[in-house]
Amino acid sequence: MSLQVFPDAQALAQGAALALAGLIETAQNARGMCRIALSGGSTPRRLHHALATAPLAGRIDWTRCAFYFGDERVVPLSDERSNARMAQETLFQPLGIPTAQIFPMVLDPKQPEAEAQRYEALLQRFDGVFDIVLLGMGSDGHCASLFPDTPALLETHRRVVANLAPQLDPPRLTLTYPALEAAREVAVLVSGPDKAATLAQVMTGDSRLPLGRLAARRPLHWWLDAEAGHLIATPTTET
Ligand code: 6PG
C-alpha cells in the first residue's frame, strides 16, 4: 500500500505519472512486458497527458506495454463516452502506440455478453493477471464499473462481466473483484472535493462501498490530490 497526496490536480497528474512509470518499469524488468488496464472517466486525462509528454514519453519503453481497460461503456469506439476513445485521443495517438498493443473491451456494442466472453478469453492468455490496474472512484464509491447494488459485484469467478443493471446507462463491461484482487499492482487515482467524504469512508475498508470492499481485501496505491484527500492526509504525504 502507498499513499501520496499532491497539492492539486496538475501535481497529482505529474506525480501519479511518475509513480506509474516506476511500476511499468518494474513489470518490464521482471517479465519483459507490462500489461496495464487503464481507467475510464475524466481524471485519467491529465495523467495520460503527463505520460505522453516529456520527460516520461521518452523514458518509458512503450513498445513493451500492452494496454487493456478496467471497464468500458457499451457504446461504439467512436462514441465520445467510450473509454477506449478517450485513451486513444489522450495517450495512444500522442505516443504512436500501434493498435496491436491496444485491446479495447467493447468492439461490438450490440453483443455485450459475447464481448465479455471475448475479453475473458483474451485475459486467459496471461492467466488474467495484470501487472497494473488503474482505477478511479466515483462519489458513490464505485470503481471500474463495479457500481453499488449491481450484479457485477457478486461475480466470484469470471474476470470480466457485462454489468447490465438498469441504472447504468449506457450499460457497462467491467473487470470483476477476482481480476482486481489478482492484479500485481492496483493504483487508485482520485481528484476533487466531491469525493473526499466517500474516499475517507472507502479507505477504512467499508465493504458497503465497492472500492472499500477492494481496499479491505488487497493493498492499493492511493494517488490523490489535496481536495480529494484532505480528510485523510496533508499534501505531499507519502507512506
Ligand atoms: C468510467 C470509469 C469510472 C471512473 C469513475 C471516476 O468508465 O467512468 O471507469 O470508474 O473511474 O467514475 O470518474 P471521473 O474520473 O470522471 O471522476
Side-chain angles (χ1 to χ4, degrees), residues 41-62:
S42 57
T43 305
R45 287 178 172 272
R46 287 177 187 258
L47 170 67
H48 292 176
H49 180 74
L51 290 168
T53 48
L56 291 178
R59 166 180 152 185
I60 297 170
D61 180 354
W62 299 106

Side-chain angles (χ1 to χ4, degrees), residues 123-174:
L123 270 55
Q124 282 317 312
R125 292 182 190 172
F126 50 94
D127 297 329
V129 178
F130 286 102
D131 293 297
I132 305 166
V133 174
L134 273 181
L135 295 174
M137 186 196 78
S139 51
D140 60 358
H142 81 260
C143 58
S145 283
L146 296 172
F147 286 85
D149 307 315
T150 61
L153 297 177
L154 305 177
E155 179 58 46
T156 56
H157 296 292
R158 293 171 61 187
R159 304 278 169 114
V160 187
V161 295
N163 202 2
L164 309 177
Q167 66 266 41
L168 299 183
D169 179 21
R172 308 286 186 102
L173 258 64
T174 187

Side-chain angles (χ1 to χ4, degrees), residues 77-109:
L77 285 170
S78 57
D79 191 300
E80 63 182 10
R81 298 168 294 177
S82 164
N83 291 334
R85 174 176 160 176
M86 184 272 281
Q88 179 62 31
E89 291 171 350
T90 59
L91 188 65
F92 304 147
Q93 197 168 348
L95 285 174
I97 305 290
T99 51
Q101 290 174 233
I102 303 167
F103 301 91
M105 206 175 227
V106 173
L107 296 175
D108 179 357

